[in-house]
């Protein structure tokens, strides 16, 4: 019997889908050891905080949560406090934890999630502390279990790491260089998921367009080839992917939207800024015109495609005119939704050293203007759905009201509608009756 049998665990996840998926893997490994999940960290024997370092507020929230674990440890000396994820790939963070948060028992990084069960067993057995971080690694560990967050949809990693070094971004330093999984391993994983009731997969990578898989016989497989392969998997209903880098979005991929019936007509295409000069300083390797051309091509070849984006406001040196370029680009594209971020200095990145940082109040004023414009655009896009019938994968019941179901359209719009829980996991036709800023309401078409 495992030393960990019967122990209760709680995972707190910060950050992106990549982290969410890593947490699913950690949960899967713990369940294989006989542990069971609990909702509150106060009720757990083991807490794992999976961290994000992409912006400073995630750092702050992490240290706040870490402070709260001290009390739990004082009450229960057997309690095991674990921290992992992107922040742990930075030495100054580990030094801070060791000096200021001595109640932490286990620290591990993004490259060695697979070693967590061994570290945990050792810490419980020998009552020691454990720190294990790898700088990077060239291999990919296959076959780790995962406890999915959703029954009918799943994330699937197709690649790890990033080679792009956008000047504001910490990810290439915390997640290492790009590594692509073998296409056969990805297809086999998706087939197993489909056999376990999964209808929709989201292919994950920092930049999926630069996926470079190699079949066991040595032939290459690019991202589009992979989509065609996955589109042939029987029983799978929907394919999504994120994130796409505009510099690598090929005509071949745009064609795949037309050819592959399972590929959802939705793309998350981070622009970051609408100004060519800012994009150059960000090292994004495309300009405003190229981005707008891509959007025009997508709209022409994939009628009805929905588009979302990420935008950073207040990048070092951003002038009023450069910010205006972002406002006009948002207007020209007509995004369905957008994530907006205040530029956050990340130690170790080139932009952190730029001497023309933007004052906080200027950043905030621009941010508010941008968010208003984006919300207005989203509300108008969503209002135009009223009267349309959309195919919705029913994901579950609304948290507020059991008689309301929630799901997503092919274009990734969240829809609420009255219905019975027996429909969860099915794709149903929903007539849209109301378009709100962040979601739609509808009714099932009989
Ligand atoms: N400051 C603000 N936003 C950032 N992002 C990445 N790094 C930073 C930073 N230093 C944003 C980008 C990216 C998203 C995941 O986070 O918009 O696309
Ligand atoms: Fe960061 Fe740029 Fe890589 Fe995205 S593409 S993870 S923004 S460095």
């Amino acid at each position: 019997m495992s030393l960990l049998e019967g122990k209760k665990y709680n995972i707190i996840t910060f950050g992106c889908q990549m982290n969410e998926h890593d947490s699913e893997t950690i949960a899967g490994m713990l369940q294989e050891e006989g542990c069971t999940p609990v909702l509150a960290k106060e009720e757990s024997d083991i807490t794992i905080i999976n961290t994000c370092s992409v912006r400073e507020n995630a750092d702050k929230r992490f240290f706040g949560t870490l402070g709260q674990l001290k009390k739990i440890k004082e009450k229960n000396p057997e309690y095991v406090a674990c921290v992992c994820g992107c922040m742990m790939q930075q030495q100054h963070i580990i030094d801070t934890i060791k000096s200021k948060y001595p109640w932490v028992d286990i620290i591990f990084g993004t490259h060695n999630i697979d070693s967590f069960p061994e570290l945990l067993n050792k810490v419980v057995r020998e009552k020691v502390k454990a720190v294990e971080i790898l700088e990077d690694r060239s291999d990919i560990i296959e076959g780790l279990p995962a406890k999915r967050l959703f029954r009918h949809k799943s994330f699937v990693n197709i690649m790890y790491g990033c080679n792009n070094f956008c000047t504001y971004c910490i990810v290439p330093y915390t997640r290492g260089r790009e590594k692509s999984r073998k296409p056969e391993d990805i297809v086999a994983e998706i087939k197993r998921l489909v056999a376990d009731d999964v209808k929709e997969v989201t292919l994950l990578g920092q930049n999926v367009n630069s996926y470079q898989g190699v079949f066991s016989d040595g032939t290459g497989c690019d991202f589009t080839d992979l989509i065609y392969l996955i589109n042939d998997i029987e029983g799978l209903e929907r394919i999504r992917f994120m994130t796409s880098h505009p510099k690598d979005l090929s005509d071949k991929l745009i064609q795949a939207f037309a050819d592959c019936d399972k590929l959802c007509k939705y793309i998350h295409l981070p622009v970051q800024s609408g100004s060519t000069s800012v994009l150059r300083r960000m090292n994004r390797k495309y300009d405003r015109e190229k981005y707008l051309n891509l959007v025009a091509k997508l709209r022409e070849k994939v009628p009805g495609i929905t588009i979302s984006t990420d935008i950073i406001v207040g990048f070092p040196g951003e002038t009023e005119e450069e910010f205006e370029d972002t406002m006009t680009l948002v207007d020209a594209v007509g995004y369905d939704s957008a994530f907006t971020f205040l530029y956050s200095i990340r130690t170790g990145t080139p932009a952190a050293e730029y001497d023309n940082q933007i004052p906080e109040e200027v950043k905030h004023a621009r941010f508010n203007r941008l968010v208003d414009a984006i919300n207005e655009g989203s509300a108008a896009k969503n209002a135009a759905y009223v009267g349309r019938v959309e195919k919705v994968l029913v994901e579950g019941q609304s948290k507020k009201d059991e008689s309301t179901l929630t799901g997503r359209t092919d274009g990734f719009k969240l829809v609420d509608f009255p219905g019975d829980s027996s429909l969860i996991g099915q794709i149903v036709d929903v007539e849209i009756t109301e378009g709100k800023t962040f979601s739609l309401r509808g009714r099932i078409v009989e």
Side-chain angles (χ1 to χ4, degrees), residues 237-238 388-395 405-410 415-420 422-432 442-446:
E237 306 259 9
R238 285 178 165 183
R388 283 169 60 165
V389 175
E390 291 284 313
K391 296 231 170 287
V392 176
L393 172 61
V394 187
E395 289 177 7
L405 299 175
T406 65
R408 299 247 176 204
T409 65
D410 184 281
V415 193
D416 288 341
F417 48 98
D420 183 85
S422 61
L423 293 172
I424 294 171
Q426 293 186 29
I427 293 184
V428 295
D429 285 329
V430 176
E431 184 190 340
I432 307 305
R443 63 171 160 258
I444 295 178
V445 179
E446 300 298 339

Side-chain angles (χ1 to χ4, degrees), residues 70-343:
K70 184 178 182 199
K71 273 209 187 102
I72 311 177
K73 185 90 182 179
E74 280 167 357
K75 275 197 202 138
N76 174 11
E78 303 282 301
Y79 175 73
V80 190
C82 318
V83 293
C84 64
C86 289
M87 284 177 77
M88 303 311 132
Q89 295 297 135
Q90 297 167 280
Q91 191 55 46
H92 68 274
I93 300 284
I94 296 188
D95 295 342
T96 306
I97 294 173
K98 283 186 177 163
S99 62
K100 297 204 182 132
Y101 303 85
W103 53 90
V104 171
D105 298 294
I106 301 180
I107 305 178
F108 61 103
T110 56
H111 302 294
N112 61 333
I113 289 186
D114 55 303
S115 58
F116 177 53
E118 198 185 315
L119 293 175
L120 186 57
N121 270 294
K122 183 177 156 129
V123 165
V124 171
R125 192 172 53 237
E126 298 171 20
K127 310 231 173 309
V128 288
K129 291 189 182 290
V131 179
E132 197 179 292
I133 308 290
L134 303 181
E135 284 285 299
D136 199 349
R137 68 194 296 166
S138 55
D139 59 334
I140 291 178
I141 306 289
E142 289 291 343
L144 295 179
K147 179 75 191 78
R148 290 197 303 277
L149 282 176
F150 295 93
R151 176 137 184 69
H152 301 289
K153 60 175 193 177
S154 182
F155 300 123
V156 175
N157 269 120
I158 62 164
M159 59 190 298
Y160 299 90
C162 181
N163 290 354
N164 290 315
F165 293 93
C166 301
T167 54
Y168 50 81
C169 186
I170 196 78
V171 169
Y173 309 90
T174 61
R175 292 264 169 190
R177 294 295 67 73
E178 282 177 5
K179 292 172 274 290
S180 296
R181 287 178 73 194
K182 282 195 178 318
E184 293 103 326
D185 288 335
I186 297 169
V187 169
E189 180 180 343
I190 298 177
K191 285 185 175 164
R192 279 195 304 275
L193 290 167
V194 170
D196 193 30
D197 265 356
V198 164
K199 301 275 167 42
E200 174 183 308
V201 289
T202 302
L203 310 177
L204 287 184
Q206 305 299 343
N207 175 12
V208 289
N209 305 103
S210 63
Y211 172 83
Q212 278 184 307
V214 181
F215 285 100
S216 300
D217 69 4
T219 41
C221 174
D222 67 16
F223 180 54
T224 314
D225 301 332
L226 182 69
I227 292 207
Y228 281 88
L229 269 182
I230 297 172
N231 195 60
D232 283 341
I233 297 177
E234 220 169 290
L236 182 68
E237 306 259 9
R238 285 178 165 183
I239 307 166
R240 301 187 189 281
F241 58 84
M242 70 186 330
T243 293
S244 278
H245 195 306
K247 82 177 165 62
D248 298 316
L249 182 71
S250 63
D251 288 349
K252 201 173 152 191
L253 178 62
I254 296 177
Q255 184 58 39
F257 277 109
D259 293 345
C260 300
D261 57 328
K262 295 176 185 173
L263 185 59
C264 291
K265 296 189 176 25
Y266 160 66
I267 190 162
H268 183 65
L269 195 60
V271 67
Q272 312 297 1
S273 166
S275 151
T276 291
S277 41
V278 172
L279 288 169
R280 197 176 317 119
R281 301 205 294 279
M282 287 178 163
N283 191 31
R284 290 291 288 178
K285 303 193 178 84
Y286 56 86
D287 57 19
R288 174 189 173 93
E289 199 188 348
K290 172 165 179 199
Y291 187 92
L292 287 172
N293 283 339
L294 267 181
V295 169
K297 216 186 289 179
L298 278 163
R299 293 216 191 278
E300 183 201 328
K301 304 265 185 210
V302 195
I305 191 167
T306 50
I307 306 180
S308 62
T309 200
D310 291 343
I311 299 174
I312 298 176
V313 175
F315 184 78
E318 182 186 68
T319 63
E320 209 51 48
E321 292 72 39
E322 287 171 333
F323 174 68
E324 279 304 326
D325 284 344
T326 296
M327 293 292 286
T328 56
L329 178 127
V330 164
D331 190 41
V333 173
Y335 289 109
D336 288 273
S337 62
F339 297 98
T340 43
F341 306 106
L342 291 162
Y343 169 72

Side-chain angles (χ1 to χ4, degrees), residues 7 17 46 52 56 99 109 116 168 248-249 302 376 436:
K7 290 210 183 270
Q17 281 86 356
I46 306 161
C52 167
E56 196 187 0
S99 62
F116 177 53
Y168 50 81
D248 298 316
L249 182 71
V302 195
E376 215 174 285
K436 299 186 272 186

